[in-house]
Amino acid sequence: MSEDFGEMRQTIVQLLSHMRDGKEIREYLKRFSGLKQERFAVVKVGGAIIRDELDSLAAALAFLQSVGLSPIVVHGGGPQLDTALSEAGIETERVDGLRVTRETSIPVIRQTLTTANLAIVDAIRAAGGQAASIPTGVFEAELVNEAALGRVGEPSNIHLDLVAAAARAGQAPVLTCLGETADGRLVNINADSAVRALVHALQPYKIVFLTGTGGLLDSDGDIISSINLATDFEDLLKADWVSGGMQLKIEEIKRLLDDLPLTSSVSITKPAELTRELFTHAGAGTLVRKGERILEVDSMAALDQTRLDGLVSAAFGRPTTPGYWDGLALERAFVTENYRAAALTTRLGELIYLDKFAVLDEARGEGLGRAVWHRLVEYAPQLLWRSRTDNPVNGFYFDQCQGAMRRDEWTVFWRGDLDPAAISPLIDEVFSRPATLEPPR
């Protein structure tokens, strides 16, 4: 970040304090402050967002500007192009999802995308942010199939000088999906292809797709909070409720992440939820990551106890009490293959009790905790657990629970269709259990 890091931190604390706790904010500030500005995030914006949610988009991007963060914005303009071409008397053609771009379409496409680009830039500035219009000069491209598709290009080289200069100057670079061939011909580039080429060149920490739905939807029309491609990809492609369009999107995201570091992820959210997605562990929308396999075992013998103990101690900042592991009657454990997140359960009468939910700080931004939690609640829709009342993760727990009760230093949470009166003896038992972590020093 810039030299005014302290001032930026104060701005973040003031503007985001209502969203979560200070620890969360500090964690993300620490991560983002160590990145070159152009490697912070790439944000893909569709034409429908420009048409329907421009003010929300501009406000979110201006907020990021206010704390010294300049994501790279790549936008399309599908609805705008359909309208402009129709008004020009040019029929819209598509082959395998790609817009056929005849010679006569190029002036209309250039004007329409440039207008959309300037609309984003002007809106960001009106919202108090800084932005730089970069309609061309970034994507060098080769024609895909001129006979069939006309002037449609696939990125062959990325020129980052303009992008880096804008980002380091504190301006959000705003790019269109236009490229140029080696001999100077303007070409139309599919938005997903443009984003993929830019992402592979930059290796950004965050990749965000802004959509009207705010995420990928499950069979009930609800947003899927997280997708761990290492464990979920094949099952999703086989699911009968996954539409062709959603399947293509999941495959495109997997292709996007395949050559990126394990820490990279793709977030799908709404413009109004962008800051929550970037700065909180719970996020807002769908987080897709390459992921790690999640081990599901019912015996401590199947786990590396030394690594597991190290994970728990590091996640909570203090060691387990003597004899904790010997006395743990494990019912089921969900542990990522690199021991960076885990959920450990035992039996409590007829219910499942979550004894430990541990996630390393470095893994929270990757969505590993969300992936483990998802597996846990799939297995145990009715669940009891407790947390110290000052635990910064309690905001997440309150989001996930159906009820909670506080006594002194502990809060007991439950999830599922449970009658508090009926489970009162179990709640009392949870409150009375001795601490399993050494006291803070």
Side-chain angles (χ1 to χ4, degrees):
M1 288 193 185
S2 71
E3 295 179 354
D4 299 324
F5 179 76
E7 182 177 346
M8 292 171 195
R9 178 183 177 280
Q10 285 302 112
T11 306
I12 272 195
V13 170
Q14 292 169 11
L15 294 177
L16 292 181
S17 60
H18 68 286
M19 288 166 38
R20 286 288 178 211
D21 56 89
K23 181 181 178 182
E24 245 182 315
I25 295 166
R26 287 192 297 272
E27 286 176 14
Y28 283 99
L29 274 172
K30 183 177 179 181
R31 287 191 190 127
F32 295 157
S33 66
L35 301 171
K36 291 182 178 179
Q37 279 297 296
E38 67 272 24
R39 290 197 61 237
F40 162 54
V42 170
V43 178
K44 179 192 173 186
V45 178
I49 294 295
I50 302 170
R51 180 191 63 201
D52 301 331
E53 301 184 56
L54 183 58
D55 289 344
S56 293
L57 171 66
L61 295 173
F63 163 75
L64 294 175
Q65 291 287 301
S66 75
V67 297
L69 299 172
S70 298
I72 299 168
V73 179
V74 182
H75 72 86
Q80 293 85 343
L81 288 174
D82 288 343
T83 299
L85 290 169
S86 178
E87 290 175 350
I90 300 172
E91 182 182 355
T92 295
E93 305 172 72
R94 284 185 171 83
V95 174
D96 296 331
L98 296 176
R99 182 187 298 274
V100 176
T101 306
R102 305 300 180 192
E103 193 79 26
T104 53
S105 303
I106 287 294
V108 178
I109 291 174
R110 177 173 54 196
Q111 180 61 46
T112 302
L113 292 182
T114 300
T115 299
N117 184 276
L118 293 173
I120 296 173
V121 170
D122 288 345
I124 294 171
R125 290 174 179 172
Q130 299 292 323
S133 173
I134 308 177
T136 58
V138 175
F139 301 106
E140 185 177 324
E142 296 178 351
L143 291 171
V144 176
N145 182 341
E146 189 169 8
L149 298 171
R151 298 266 284 274
V152 172
E154 178 73 17
S156 57
N157 197 12
I158 302 292
H159 301 283
L160 294 174
D161 293 350
L162 292 173
V163 172
R168 291 171 187 171
Q171 298 182 321
V174 182
L175 284 57
T176 69
C177 296
L178 292 173
E180 295 169 318
T181 62
D183 59 3
R185 288 191 292 170
L186 196 70
V187 295
N188 188 23
I189 298 175
N190 174 267
D192 286 333
S193 296
V195 169
R196 185 171 62 249
L198 186 64
V199 162
H200 284 181
L202 281 172
Q203 305 268 303
Y205 184 76
K206 285 285 186 178
I207 306 156
V208 182
F209 289 1
L210 297 181
T211 69
T213 60
L216 297 178
L217 306 181
D218 64 16
S219 57
D220 296 321
D222 298 323
I223 291 176
I224 303 170
S225 62
S226 64
I227 294 175
N228 184 328
L229 292 175
T231 56
D232 302 337
F233 181 70
E234 296 298 334
D235 289 340
L236 280 171
L237 294 192
K238 295 174 185 175
D240 55 12
W241 54 268
V242 174
S243 67
M246 181 176 174
Q247 180 174 324
L248 288 173
K249 180 62 67 179
I250 294 170
E251 289 174 334
E252 175 61 32
I253 291 173
K254 183 179 186 301
R255 185 179 175 192
L256 184 67
L257 290 173
D258 273 345
D259 297 329
L260 295 180
L262 187 63
T263 53
S264 297
S265 62
V266 171
S267 298
I268 305 171
T269 191
K270 294 182 177 180
E273 300 284 7
L274 177 58
T275 51
R276 187 177 165 205
E277 178 63 35
L278 289 173
F279 288 98
T280 68
H281 301 331
T286 302
L287 180 71
V288 186
R289 48 184 303 281
K290 293 173 72 171
E292 301 175 18
R293 289 189 306 113
I294 297 175
L295 311 175
E296 180 177 345
V297 302
D298 57 9
S299 166
M300 286 298 297
L303 296 170
D304 185 327
Q305 186 173 315
T306 300
R307 295 179 74 186
L308 190 59
D309 184 63
L311 162 61
V312 171
S313 298
F316 287 95
R318 53 189 190 275
T320 56
T321 54
Y324 166 73
W325 294 107
D326 293 335
L328 181 67
L330 185 71
E331 194 274 340
R332 193 65 57 101
F334 302 88
V335 185
T336 61
E337 60 185 328
N338 291 316
Y339 284 77
R340 298 199 296 154
L344 309 177
T345 71
T346 62
R347 277 280 171 185
L348 185 64
E350 297 299 315
L351 295 180
I352 302 296
Y353 175 70
L354 175 60
D355 194 274
K356 288 286 179 291
F357 180 56
V359 185
L360 294 181
D361 284 351
E362 69 182 52
R364 288 182 179 177
E366 300 172 33
L368 273 184
R370 269 197 267 181
V372 170
W373 184 267
H374 182 67
R375 287 284 294 275
L376 168 69
V377 298
E378 273 191 338
Y379 170 72
Q382 293 185 324
L383 188 68
L384 269 172
W385 71 98
R386 76 176 182 181
S387 171
R388 289 191 181 274
T389 300
D390 60 356
N391 188 341
V393 181
N394 285 347
F396 172 76
Y397 287 157
F398 278 111
D399 283 346
Q400 299 297 319
C401 75
Q402 268 72 59
M405 185 179 297
R406 176 178 174 178
R407 289 182 195 168
D408 301 322
E409 63 182 320
W410 295 107
T411 299
V412 171
F413 299 87
W414 60 90
R415 179 185 174 91
D417 185 18
L418 298 172
D419 178 2
I423 63 171
S424 180
L426 298 180
I427 293 174
D428 290 339
E429 181 180 337
V430 172
F431 274 123
S432 67
R433 290 190 169 196
T436 54
L437 295 170
E438 294 287 355
R441 293 183 178 179

